[in-house]
Amino acid sequence: SHSHGWGTGPTDALTSWIVGLTVTGTGRSTWGLAPQFGDLTHAEAGFSTPLGKFSSAWTWVQGGYTVSWGAPAGTVGTVWFSLGCRLIQIFLLREEKKRSNWFM
């Protein structure tokens, strides 16, 4: 439940760590996506700000993952994928919606 302070921890963990979606700059105009797949097969989360809705989802497919995201117009995002113990910056985005396949 979002009505209790102790109830928001799992929601933040899902959004920020598992799905990996965070607002990174002042004014909420920049954001990052760094999913942590672990042994899960699917995760999705999102949140709304005064600029609009931020969202992301990923799903295990044979040999890798399909990752999708959406962000308000006028925002800039950076997508990172984990390669072993390192995060690799894949691309900088200025589009509202995007989808990518990441095969391991």
Side-chain angles (χ1 to χ4, degrees), residues 30-78:
T30 58
W31 53 274
L33 179 62
Q36 302 297 311
F37 305 117
D39 62 354
L40 300 174
T41 59
H42 177 80
E44 62 183 285
F47 51 87
S48 294
T49 72
L51 292 177
K53 182 168 175 78
F54 292 83
S55 63
S56 181
W58 54 260
T59 301
W60 166 256
V61 294
Q62 188 62 34
Y65 294 89
T66 297
V67 181
S68 59
W69 57 88
T75 62
V76 177
T78 304

Side-chain angles (χ1 to χ4, degrees), residues 3-97:
S3 61
H4 301 288
W6 51 263
T8 62
T11 302
D12 179 60
L14 172 65
T15 304
S16 301
W17 295 101
I18 304 298
V19 174
L21 182 61
T22 58
V23 173
T24 58
T26 58
R28 300 179 181 97
S29 62
T30 58
W31 53 274
L33 179 62
Q36 302 297 311
F37 305 117
D39 62 354
L40 300 174
T41 59
H42 177 80
E44 62 183 285
F47 51 87
S48 294
T49 72
L51 292 177
K53 182 168 175 78
F54 292 83
S55 63
S56 181
W58 54 260
T59 301
W60 166 256
V61 294
Q62 188 62 34
Y65 294 89
T66 297
V67 181
S68 59
W69 57 88
T75 62
V76 177
T78 304
V79 177
W80 303 79
F81 288 116
S82 177
L83 183 60
C85 295
R86 296 178 21 184
L87 280 177
I88 307 298
Q89 181 178 348
I90 302 299
F91 31 75
L92 184 68
L93 301 166
R94 288 185 171 84
E95 300 117 25
E96 291 182 53
K97 295 187 179 184

